[in-house]
Amino acid sequence: LLATHVADHRRLEHLRRCLASIEEQEEPPVALLLRWSSAPQLREEVQDALHEFEAPCQLIELHSADRASQFEHFAALLPALRSLDAKVSGPEATEGGLWAAFSDDDDL
């Protein structure tokens, strides 16, 4: 799970670096569930960054038109997570567990 609000170009660069790190994983996750919001003037740039992302796994990406905290983003991802969990079976489904990436410092 990855949730973020991209409020400025610094946060956009952090998101790009995070996505690049996922691309470079030797053992990528089964899926990446991402929910994001942004400042209105950055929406297209965030969409471009996501289109450039070469996901090494299934990508489920949701956008919130309104700013949301990470925990609101995570709550909104739960139905997609449950749906994915029901579809994915076998050892790879639970191997390594579930990771929640806290990409912002404003909720701590």
Side-chain angles (χ1 to χ4, degrees):
L1 301 177
L2 177 60
T4 191
H5 176 75
V6 180
D8 54 37
H9 282 98
R10 182 178 60 87
R11 295 268 186 200
L12 178 58
E13 184 55 33
H14 288 196
L15 177 61
R16 283 189 171 123
R17 286 198 322 247
C18 179
L19 296 174
S21 175
I22 294 168
E23 288 176 351
E24 295 170 3
Q25 296 284 324
E26 289 183 24
E27 294 183 34
V30 173
L32 172 63
L33 285 74
L34 165 66
R35 187 165 188 264
W36 61 277
S37 56
S38 70
Q41 67 273 20
L42 293 174
R43 183 175 180 179
E44 283 188 38
E45 288 182 69
V46 174
Q47 289 172 326
D48 290 345
L50 292 172
H51 287 122
E52 293 167 8
F53 174 52
E54 296 179 13
C57 58
Q58 180 179 359
L59 174 63
I60 299 171
E61 177 245 324
L62 304 173
H63 172 255
S64 172
D66 299 318
R67 181 181 179 140
S69 74
Q70 289 184 38
F71 296 103
E72 291 168 323
H73 284 307
F74 287 143
L77 285 170
L78 287 178
L81 177 62
R82 288 186 184 110
S83 175
L84 178 68
D85 189 46
K87 293 177 188 173
V88 178
S89 62
E92 69 277 359
T94 56
E95 190 174 299
L98 173 69
W99 288 79
F102 291 86
S103 59
D104 296 339
D105 56 4
D106 55 358
D107 289 332
L108 300 178

